[in-house]
Amino acid sequence: MASSPTFSPPCGPVTGWTDWPGGGRIVRATGIRYAEAARFEAPRPAADRIKV
């Protein structure tokens, strides 16, 4: 059983998956939060979730 790749960016932990299209290895991840905004406001960078 293959393990899922994990990443630790400032936005919080991210778990991805590996695809093998055409024999090549591609690591993918989705759901990475990069911005936030209230309704009808311009987006601003998402706050970091790592506690220091």
Side-chain angles (χ1 to χ4, degrees):
M1 183 168 142
S3 64
S4 298
T6 57
F7 309 95
S8 298
C11 66
V14 175
T15 302
W17 67 94
T18 303
D19 284 339
W20 298 89
R25 180 177 184 234
I26 298 176
V27 177
R28 302 177 191 261
T30 59
I32 301 169
R33 188 170 190 152
Y34 63 92
E36 57 191 1
R39 190 171 184 183
F40 304 118
E41 287 187 357
R44 56 193 176 278
D48 292 346
R49 290 183 10 189
I50 294 178
K51 295 180 181 180
V52 177

PDB file of all heavy atoms in Angstrom, residues 10-12 14 30-37 43-48:
ATOM      1  N   PRO A  10       2.741  27.015   5.220  1.00  0.00           N
ATOM      2  CA  PRO A  10       2.204  27.903   6.256  1.00  0.00           C
ATOM      3  C   PRO A  10       0.677  27.885   6.368  1.00  0.00           C
ATOM      4  O   PRO A  10       0.142  28.161   7.433  1.00  0.00           O
ATOM      5  CB  PRO A  10       2.683  29.290   5.824  1.00  0.00           C
ATOM      6  CG  PRO A  10       3.894  29.029   5.013  1.00  0.00           C
ATOM      7  CD  PRO A  10       3.631  27.723   4.312  1.00  0.00           C
ATOM      8  N   CYS A  11      -0.035  27.522   5.297  1.00  0.00           N
ATOM      9  CA  CYS A  11      -1.500  27.511   5.348  1.00  0.00           C
ATOM     10  C   CYS A  11      -2.054  26.328   6.127  1.00  0.00           C
ATOM     11  O   CYS A  11      -3.243  26.256   6.368  1.00  0.00           O
ATOM     12  CB  CYS A  11      -2.084  27.536   3.944  1.00  0.00           C
ATOM     13  SG  CYS A  11      -1.726  26.062   2.980  1.00  0.00           S
ATOM     14  N   GLY A  12      -1.217  25.398   6.521  1.00  0.00           N
ATOM     15  CA  GLY A  12      -1.657  24.229   7.274  1.00  0.00           C
ATOM     16  C   GLY A  12      -1.300  22.946   6.550  1.00  0.00           C
ATOM     17  O   GLY A  12      -0.825  22.978   5.411  1.00  0.00           O
ATOM     18  N   VAL A  14      -1.281  19.629   4.315  1.00  0.00           N
ATOM     19  CA  VAL A  14      -1.921  19.273   3.050  1.00  0.00           C
ATOM     20  C   VAL A  14      -1.550  17.825   2.733  1.00  0.00           C
ATOM     21  O   VAL A  14      -0.384  17.451   2.836  1.00  0.00           O
ATOM     22  CB  VAL A  14      -1.447  20.190   1.896  1.00  0.00           C
ATOM     23  CG1 VAL A  14      -2.017  19.744   0.569  1.00  0.00           C
ATOM     24  CG2 VAL A  14      -1.794  21.630   2.181  1.00  0.00           C
ATOM     25  N   THR A  30      -4.804  19.244  -3.732  1.00  0.00           N
ATOM     26  CA  THR A  30      -5.830  20.259  -3.937  1.00  0.00           C
ATOM     27  C   THR A  30      -6.305  20.763  -2.586  1.00  0.00           C
ATOM     28  O   THR A  30      -5.943  20.218  -1.541  1.00  0.00           O
ATOM     29  CB  THR A  30      -7.036  19.696  -4.711  1.00  0.00           C
ATOM     30  OG1 THR A  30      -7.588  18.614  -3.974  1.00  0.00           O
ATOM     31  CG2 THR A  30      -6.647  19.232  -6.096  1.00  0.00           C
ATOM     32  N   GLY A  31      -7.125  21.793  -2.621  1.00  0.00           N
ATOM     33  CA  GLY A  31      -7.677  22.337  -1.388  1.00  0.00           C
ATOM     34  C   GLY A  31      -6.708  23.203  -0.616  1.00  0.00           C
ATOM     35  O   GLY A  31      -6.864  23.406   0.582  1.00  0.00           O
ATOM     36  N   ILE A  32      -5.702  23.729  -1.286  1.00  0.00           N
ATOM     37  CA  ILE A  32      -4.711  24.580  -0.632  1.00  0.00           C
ATOM     38  C   ILE A  32      -5.269  25.998  -0.578  1.00  0.00           C
ATOM     39  O   ILE A  32      -5.508  26.625  -1.614  1.00  0.00           O
ATOM     40  CB  ILE A  32      -3.367  24.556  -1.387  1.00  0.00           C
ATOM     41  CG1 ILE A  32      -2.856  23.114  -1.443  1.00  0.00           C
ATOM     42  CG2 ILE A  32      -2.368  25.479  -0.725  1.00  0.00           C
ATOM     43  CD1 ILE A  32      -1.698  22.908  -2.376  1.00  0.00           C
ATOM     44  N   ARG A  33      -5.481  26.488   0.602  1.00  0.00           N
ATOM     45  CA  ARG A  33      -6.077  27.810   0.776  1.00  0.00           C
ATOM     46  C   ARG A  33      -5.006  28.892   0.561  1.00  0.00           C
ATOM     47  O   ARG A  33      -3.980  28.888   1.229  1.00  0.00           O
ATOM     48  CB  ARG A  33      -6.654  27.928   2.173  1.00  0.00           C
ATOM     49  CG  ARG A  33      -7.439  29.167   2.351  1.00  0.00           C
ATOM     50  CD  ARG A  33      -8.184  29.126   3.643  1.00  0.00           C
ATOM     51  NE  ARG A  33      -9.098  30.247   3.602  1.00  0.00           N
ATOM     52  CZ  ARG A  33     -10.230  30.307   4.224  1.00  0.00           C
ATOM     53  NH1 ARG A  33     -10.588  29.332   4.982  1.00  0.00           N
ATOM     54  NH2 ARG A  33     -11.001  31.350   4.101  1.00  0.00           N
ATOM     55  N   TYR A  34      -5.240  29.801  -0.360  1.00  0.00           N
ATOM     56  CA  TYR A  34      -4.271  30.857  -0.649  1.00  0.00           C
ATOM     57  C   TYR A  34      -4.851  32.253  -0.460  1.00  0.00           C
ATOM     58  O   TYR A  34      -4.119  33.230  -0.426  1.00  0.00           O
ATOM     59  CB  TYR A  34      -3.708  30.704  -2.064  1.00  0.00           C
ATOM     60  CG  TYR A  34      -4.742  30.857  -3.152  1.00  0.00           C
ATOM     61  CD1 TYR A  34      -4.982  32.089  -3.725  1.00  0.00           C
ATOM     62  CD2 TYR A  34      -5.475  29.771  -3.593  1.00  0.00           C
ATOM     63  CE1 TYR A  34      -5.931  32.239  -4.715  1.00  0.00           C
ATOM     64  CE2 TYR A  34      -6.426  29.903  -4.576  1.00  0.00           C
ATOM     65  CZ  TYR A  34      -6.648  31.135  -5.138  1.00  0.00           C
ATOM     66  OH  TYR A  34      -7.587  31.270  -6.113  1.00  0.00           O
ATOM     67  N   ALA A  35      -6.165  32.378  -0.338  1.00  0.00           N
ATOM     68  CA  ALA A  35      -6.782  33.691  -0.158  1.00  0.00           C
ATOM     69  C   ALA A  35      -8.111  33.538   0.566  1.00  0.00           C
ATOM     70  O   ALA A  35      -8.680  32.449   0.622  1.00  0.00           O
ATOM     71  CB  ALA A  35      -6.999  34.370  -1.502  1.00  0.00           C
ATOM     72  N   GLU A  36      -8.580  34.641   1.139  1.00  0.00           N
ATOM     73  CA  GLU A  36      -9.893  34.671   1.783  1.00  0.00           C
ATOM     74  C   GLU A  36     -10.504  36.047   1.562  1.00  0.00           C
ATOM     75  O   GLU A  36      -9.796  37.021   1.353  1.00  0.00           O
ATOM     76  CB  GLU A  36      -9.776  34.341   3.272  1.00  0.00           C
ATOM     77  CG  GLU A  36      -8.838  35.245   4.032  1.00  0.00           C
ATOM     78  CD  GLU A  36      -8.559  34.729   5.430  1.00  0.00           C
ATOM     79  OE1 GLU A  36      -9.072  33.664   5.823  1.00  0.00           O
ATOM     80  OE2 GLU A  36      -7.811  35.389   6.132  1.00  0.00           O
ATOM     81  N   ALA A  37     -11.815  36.091   1.600  1.00  0.00           N
ATOM     82  CA  ALA A  37     -12.512  37.365   1.401  1.00  0.00           C
ATOM     83  C   ALA A  37     -13.938  37.245   1.901  1.00  0.00           C
ATOM     84  O   ALA A  37     -14.549  36.177   1.833  1.00  0.00           O
ATOM     85  CB  ALA A  37     -12.520  37.746  -0.072  1.00  0.00           C
ATOM     86  N   PRO A  43      -9.986  39.770  -2.470  1.00  0.00           N
ATOM     87  CA  PRO A  43      -9.305  38.733  -1.691  1.00  0.00           C
ATOM     88  C   PRO A  43      -8.014  39.253  -1.067  1.00  0.00           C
ATOM     89  O   PRO A  43      -7.368  40.156  -1.589  1.00  0.00           O
ATOM     90  CB  PRO A  43      -9.015  37.640  -2.713  1.00  0.00           C
ATOM     91  CG  PRO A  43      -9.137  38.282  -4.043  1.00  0.00           C
ATOM     92  CD  PRO A  43     -10.027  39.468  -3.886  1.00  0.00           C
ATOM     93  N   ARG A  44      -7.662  38.669   0.074  1.00  0.00           N
ATOM     94  CA  ARG A  44      -6.398  38.977   0.745  1.00  0.00           C
ATOM     95  C   ARG A  44      -5.752  37.633   1.102  1.00  0.00           C
ATOM     96  O   ARG A  44      -6.452  36.626   1.226  1.00  0.00           O
ATOM     97  CB  ARG A  44      -6.621  39.841   1.971  1.00  0.00           C
ATOM     98  CG  ARG A  44      -7.575  39.277   2.974  1.00  0.00           C
ATOM     99  CD  ARG A  44      -8.016  40.297   4.013  1.00  0.00           C
ATOM    100  NE  ARG A  44      -9.006  39.707   4.879  1.00  0.00           N
ATOM    101  CZ  ARG A  44     -10.294  39.599   4.617  1.00  0.00           C
ATOM    102  NH1 ARG A  44     -10.786  40.078   3.493  1.00  0.00           N
ATOM    103  NH2 ARG A  44     -11.106  39.006   5.457  1.00  0.00           N
ATOM    104  N   PRO A  45      -4.453  37.608   1.279  1.00  0.00           N
ATOM    105  CA  PRO A  45      -3.775  36.328   1.554  1.00  0.00           C
ATOM    106  C   PRO A  45      -4.379  35.645   2.784  1.00  0.00           C
ATOM    107  O   PRO A  45      -4.742  36.291   3.767  1.00  0.00           O
ATOM    108  CB  PRO A  45      -2.335  36.735   1.827  1.00  0.00           C
ATOM    109  CG  PRO A  45      -2.162  38.026   1.097  1.00  0.00           C
ATOM    110  CD  PRO A  45      -3.505  38.723   1.182  1.00  0.00           C
ATOM    111  N   ALA A  46      -4.481  34.330   2.712  1.00  0.00           N
ATOM    112  CA  ALA A  46      -4.991  33.547   3.836  1.00  0.00           C
ATOM    113  C   ALA A  46      -3.992  33.615   4.986  1.00  0.00           C
ATOM    114  O   ALA A  46      -2.775  33.651   4.767  1.00  0.00           O
ATOM    115  CB  ALA A  46      -5.219  32.120   3.409  1.00  0.00           C
ATOM    116  N   ALA A  47      -4.503  33.603   6.192  1.00  0.00           N
ATOM    117  CA  ALA A  47      -3.637  33.638   7.376  1.00  0.00           C
ATOM    118  C   ALA A  47      -2.917  32.305   7.528  1.00  0.00           C
ATOM    119  O   ALA A  47      -3.455  31.246   7.196  1.00  0.00           O
ATOM    120  CB  ALA A  47      -4.469  33.910   8.605  1.00  0.00           C
ATOM    121  N   ASP A  48      -1.690  32.343   8.026  1.00  0.00           N
ATOM    122  CA  ASP A  48      -0.940  31.138   8.307  1.00  0.00           C
ATOM    123  C   ASP A  48      -1.584  30.387   9.459  1.00  0.00           C
ATOM    124  O   ASP A  48      -2.121  30.989  10.380  1.00  0.00           O
ATOM    125  CB  ASP A  48       0.504  31.463   8.664  1.00  0.00           C
ATOM    126  CG  ASP A  48       1.281  32.006   7.477  1.00  0.00           C
ATOM    127  OD1 ASP A  48       0.792  31.888   6.338  1.00  0.00           O
ATOM    128  OD2 ASP A  48       2.389  32.521   7.690  1.00  0.00           O
TER     129      ASP A  48
END
